[in-house]
Amino acid sequence: MLLFTPGPTPIPESIRKAMSEPTLHHRTPEFEAIFASARAGLLELIKMPEVLMLASSGSGAMEACVCTFGQKKVLSVNSGKFGERFGKIAKAHKIPYREIINEWDTPASLEEVQKALEEEKDVDCFCIQMCESAGGLRHNVEQIAKAIKAYNPNIIVVVDAITAMGVEAIDTTHIDALIGGSQKAFMLPPGLSIIGLSKLAIDVANERDVGFYFNLKTELKNQAQNTTAWTAPTTIITGLKKYFELINNDFESIYKATKARSLATQKALESLGLNIYPKSPAIAMNTIYDEANAAPLRKILKSEFNLNVAGGQDKLKTSLIRINQMGLIPIEQSLWVVNAIELALASLNIRPFNGEANKIFLQHYYALQS
Ligand SMILES: *Cc1c(COP(=O)(O)O)cnc(C)c1O
């Protein structure tokens, strides 16, 4: 079965092999060397002053950031299931919050953010997704973060980049906390979350000393020494070290290939008459909206073509198809995906097969490569 869901993503063989070595104790020089290597790779990738690894899925890092940085009021962008989660975390911890809510295909506008900041003078933490995976939507984080810092440099800008880290180059100039997760572009099992931190975020985390398990001050102290406060997810961190070896820290090539694959897939899907759902599509995934046919299409893709793509969530559960582009994906697999979709459309009598999807994919893919 080909796994083409926007997380978890398939784990390459070399990473699986690295993770199958006998378990190391986490308080040993051997593991600390592995930790140091993974940490160096992350710092080179995100280009921020500090990075922390936590034993949790991505939501754990989101919770750590909301609790540490949102003391007075959190302003969060909710254009989908993951944006909604920031508000839910604030609510669960009884931290005052205000949400900017939009349809799942609509990115937050700068005007909405500025209006909310004018109305909510006590906001000290702003939370947004770089890519909102519920609808495959890219927010204009760069523009919004810059404007927030110009308005008040003390507002901590938290960016959930779980489906952007390792996918595209991220400008972290105006970002204080950048969240990543193991099961997306890093092609690792779920269970490791990542937080990149700015100088301001480091100072605030140390000063506030919030929480117990997710206490960023405790982790900052430990991880600078290449160890963790609690038992580290040693297996996944071993896999992360291998990930950086596998890609040889050549992030630019990954970004270029991912973008070419994603745009070529989008063009191929459009050539079949399919609708791309988000108004500003992210690179990490391609999202198709088809209320009538998304569910039957997914069923055929799985049963007849051994292809597992994701549906939607909640209200869009049976209206969306989400196709992963994160990680290292061989081009023959990408071709198979658009071809299988074209064949499935033919078997539902929606459109006769003529090989258009592969042709359009290749035309755009090679144009973007050169
Ligand atoms: C996958 C994902 C998460 C993490 O969710 P977990 O289930 O906690 O791993 C958070 N935000 C976005 C945008 C995601 O795509």
Side-chain angles (χ1 to χ4, degrees):
M1 182 71 69
L2 272 185
L3 181 63
F4 257 83
T5 56
T9 57
I11 308 174
E13 189 178 5
S14 65
I15 294 183
R16 274 187 277 126
K17 281 192 170 145
M19 293 190 303
S20 69
E21 292 296 312
T23 301
L24 290 173
H25 191 273
H26 54 294
R27 311 275 180 216
T28 56
E30 292 81 8
F31 179 69
E32 283 165 20
I34 292 172
F35 188 95
S37 172
R39 179 173 150 81
L42 285 174
L43 286 169
E44 194 178 327
L45 172 70
I46 64 172
K47 302 186 183 75
M48 293 181 84
E50 254 301 352
V51 71
L52 298 174
M53 291 178 252
L54 305 175
S56 75
S57 81
S59 302
M62 292 169 75
E63 180 161 354
C65 288
V66 169
C67 295
T68 305
F69 302 122
Q71 297 247 300
K72 292 195 189 114
K73 188 172 265 183
V74 172
L75 175 63
S76 62
V77 166
N78 174 351
S79 290
K81 196 89 187 129
F82 295 99
E84 179 189 56
R85 193 165 300 175
F86 278 125
K88 284 188 164 177
I89 292 168
K91 188 176 179 197
H93 289 277
K94 300 186 171 56
I95 300 165
Y97 68 102
R98 153 112 182 233
E99 291 182 287
I100 296 167
I101 302 176
N102 278 308
E103 278 304 314
W104 291 14
D105 64 347
T106 306
S109 72
L110 180 57
E111 293 69 33
E112 286 172 302
V113 175
Q114 284 171 329
K115 182 168 168 281
L117 287 174
E118 287 298 336
E119 287 166 14
E120 310 281 355
K121 294 288 184 201
D122 44 358
V123 166
D124 56 356
C125 176
F126 172 77
C127 300
I128 189 170
Q129 272 59 41
M130 188 143 250
C131 161
E132 168 54 78
S133 313
L137 174 78
R138 178 67 157 80
H139 285 295
N140 194 342
V141 172
E142 294 83 350
Q143 181 203 39
I144 292 172
K146 189 176 177 191
I148 290 174
K149 288 294 182 182
Y151 174 78
N152 178 356
N154 293 321
I155 296 176
I156 303 267
V157 174
V158 174
V159 177
D160 167 1
I162 293 176
T163 43
M165 197 184 279
V167 172
E168 53 179 304
I170 300 173
D171 176 4
T172 51
T173 314
H174 305 289
I175 295 174
D176 294 300
L178 187 75
I179 300 170
S182 55
Q183 80 273 32
K184 309 277 166 100
F186 295 109
M187 303 177 285
L188 296 166
L192 179 78
S193 65
I194 295 155
I195 312 178
L197 296 169
S198 70
K199 177 78 177 58
L200 173 66
I202 296 167
D203 291 345
V204 170
N206 279 328
E207 194 182 300
R208 289 190 185 162
D209 194 8
V210 175
F212 182 74
Y213 183 78
F214 288 130
N215 185 310
L216 301 186
K217 181 182 182 183
T218 317
E219 291 296 348
L220 279 164
K221 195 174 102 216
N222 279 278
Q223 298 198 20
Q225 310 293 321
N226 295 315
T227 189
T228 47
W230 327 117
T231 307
T234 48
T235 311
I236 309 179
I237 292 171
T238 303
L240 182 57
K241 171 178 183 269
K242 191 71 199 178
Y243 164 80
F244 289 114
E245 285 164 11
L246 175 65
I247 67 162
N248 205 13
N249 286 20
D250 183 1
F251 308 119
E252 290 310 317
S253 294
I254 297 238
Y255 299 152
K256 195 173 166 195
T258 307
K259 189 173 179 184
R261 245 184 3 248
S262 186
L263 291 178
T265 301
Q266 181 178 324
K267 295 288 182 194
L269 296 171
E270 284 170 341
S271 79
L272 300 176
L274 294 164
N275 291 316
I276 301 301
Y277 176 68
K279 288 175 187 155
S280 55
I283 291 168
M285 66 197 74
N286 305 105
T287 307
I288 301 164
Y289 180 82
D290 191 331
E291 211 179 332
N293 300 309
L297 272 172
R298 273 184 71 218
K299 207 165 164 194
I300 294 173
L301 291 173
K302 196 162 183 184
S303 61
E304 290 179 34
F305 300 101
N306 265 330
L307 176 63
N308 191 358
V309 293
Q313 293 160 296
D314 289 0
K315 58 186 177 181
L316 294 174
K317 195 170 170 59
T318 57
S319 312
L320 294 186
I321 291 179
R322 293 176 302 151
I323 303 165
N324 176 52
Q325 294 299 347
M326 294 176 282
L328 297 168
I329 300 175
I331 182 170
E332 67 270 22
Q333 288 189 6
S334 298
L335 287 166
W336 176 246
V337 169
V338 293
N339 190 59
I341 291 171
E342 185 173 347
L343 287 166
L345 286 170
S347 86
L348 285 172
N349 289 319
I350 293 169
R351 181 193 174 283
F353 180 85
N354 64 354
E356 186 76 359
N358 260 326
K359 189 182 92 183
I360 298 293
F361 179 98
L362 286 170
Q363 276 176 358
H364 286 276
Y365 184 78
Y366 287 118
L368 290 159
Q369 283 294 302
S370 58

